[in-house]
């Protein structure tokens, strides 16, 4: 899963980045509103963490411009402004959640994960497809109740496929959601990555739809 963090406090930003990396997320970072607005308009994110008090362009203006442009990614607002009017204004502008500073990193992570699950239509942190189970809170994957060891990149890939179970996911979409903005988009690493997952799981779970992409489905004998 790929997250955009827009925060001008470098120390806080580094703490959030460290926490999200530990939780297996890919993070793109902007430190002012103009850069953040551009990234949100030009890249695809599973969630955005947006500070309101940004230099160059206020976070509220960034959010309103995204929503006016039809950008629908879930947005969690961070702010030191703690009056109820500020919260209402942010939510009315299109924010999905609101967290006042200072905050616990564990709460931030829980809120981000909840936003992503709701956006994909899965409020439960545990996803199942046949005998595959993935617990996004614990970062754990099992196959037929036996633990499977995945790399961080393999986990992010399976997580995205599980959250969009049965839908065909193009290579481009998968790349946009599991890699950072500097990834070489025409690389064949997605094919290699999918093959690694197939070798660790039952290979019949991930189907290749020629010319379209990949689809996670239950094997016929488990459906």
């Amino acid at each position: 899963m790929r997250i955009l963090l827009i925060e001008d406090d470098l120390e806080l930003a580094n703490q959030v980045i460290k926490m999200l990396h530990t939780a297996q997320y890919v993070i793109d970072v902007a430190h002012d509103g103009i850069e953040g607005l551009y990234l949100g308009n030009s890249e695809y994110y599973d969630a955005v963490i947006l500070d309101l008090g940004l230099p160059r362009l206020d976070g509220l203006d960034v959010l309103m411009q995204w929503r006016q442009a039809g950008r629908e990614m879930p947005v969690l607002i961070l702010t030191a402004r703690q009056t109820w009017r500020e919260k209402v204004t942010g939510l009315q502008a299109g924010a999905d959640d609101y967290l006042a500073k200072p905050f616990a990193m564990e709460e931030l992570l829980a809120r981000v994960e909840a936003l992503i699950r709701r956006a994909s239509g899965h409020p439960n942190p545990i996803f199942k497809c046949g005998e595959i189970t993935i617990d996004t809170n614990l970062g754990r994957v099992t196959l037929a109740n036996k633990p499977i060891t995945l790399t961080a990149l393999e986990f992010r890939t399976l997580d995205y496929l599980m959250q969009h179970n049965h839908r065909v996911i193009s290579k481009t979409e998968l790349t946009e959601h599991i890699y950072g903005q500097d990834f070489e988009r025409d690389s064949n690493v997605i094919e290699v990555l999918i093959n690694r997952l197939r070798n660790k799981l039952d290979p019949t779970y991930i189907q290749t739809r020629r010319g379209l992409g990949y689809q996670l489905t239950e094997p016929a004998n488990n459906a």
Side-chain angles (χ1 to χ4, degrees):
M1 295 294 177
R2 189 177 175 196
I3 294 175
L4 173 60
L5 170 64
I6 310 176
E7 171 60 66
D8 64 321
D9 183 327
L10 298 184
E11 181 178 354
L12 177 59
N14 288 333
Q15 292 174 3
V16 174
I17 291 168
K18 182 178 179 180
M19 181 266 297
L20 292 174
H21 275 152
T22 300
Q24 312 290 0
Y25 288 98
V26 175
I27 305 98
D28 291 342
V29 185
H31 297 298
D32 65 70
I34 296 294
E35 182 185 9
L37 176 66
Y38 171 77
L39 288 176
N41 279 331
S42 59
E43 301 288 337
Y44 290 88
Y45 297 99
D46 296 285
V48 176
I49 302 172
L50 173 65
D51 183 34
L52 287 188
L54 295 169
R56 302 183 68 197
L57 185 64
D58 187 79
L60 194 61
D61 292 326
V62 172
L63 177 58
M64 289 190 294
Q65 289 191 45
W66 280 340
R67 294 315 191 213
Q68 289 169 2
R71 303 295 281 175
E72 298 180 348
M73 62 279 198
V75 175
L76 170 65
I77 283 180
L78 300 181
T79 184
R81 310 169 188 174
Q82 300 194 33
T83 68
W84 67 267
R85 289 184 178 84
E86 294 290 349
K87 296 179 181 180
V88 170
T89 300
L91 294 171
Q92 289 178 336
D96 299 274
D97 200 358
Y98 201 108
L99 190 58
K101 300 176 182 179
F103 53 83
M105 288 294 165
E106 292 80 3
E107 181 179 5
L108 174 62
L109 178 60
R111 287 176 179 267
V112 168
E113 290 178 336
L115 283 181
I116 293 173
R117 291 197 305 268
R118 288 202 299 269
S120 65
H122 299 282
N124 194 318
I126 299 175
F127 300 86
K128 294 184 178 181
C129 180
E131 294 188 304
I132 300 175
T133 300
I134 182 170
D135 187 325
T136 57
N137 281 350
L138 299 178
R140 183 172 60 193
V141 177
T142 59
L143 176 64
N145 296 318
K146 296 180 180 179
I148 302 295
T149 301
L150 300 180
T151 66
L153 190 55
E154 290 166 352
F155 183 90
R156 290 199 297 268
T157 303
L158 181 61
D159 184 15
Y160 193 80
L161 291 173
M162 291 284 278
Q163 293 206 35
H164 299 85
N165 194 358
H166 297 295
R167 184 164 72 80
V168 178
I169 307 297
S170 70
K171 287 184 182 180
T172 299
E173 179 180 349
L174 197 54
T175 299
E176 288 170 340
H177 287 270
I178 67 173
Y179 287 102
Q181 65 190 91
D182 56 351
F183 176 72
E184 181 59 45
R185 299 296 172 92
D186 62 353
S187 173
N188 68 346
V189 294
I190 292 294
E191 294 179 13
V192 175
L193 183 58
I194 292 295
N195 285 333
R196 291 210 314 255
L197 273 176
R198 284 173 172 152
N199 290 334
K200 292 186 176 183
L201 304 169
D202 184 330
T204 59
Y205 276 93
I206 303 178
Q207 302 294 320
T208 298
R209 304 305 182 195
R210 192 170 300 277
L212 298 174
Y214 302 101
Q215 184 178 25
L216 184 71
T217 61
E218 296 183 31
N221 59 343
N222 290 333

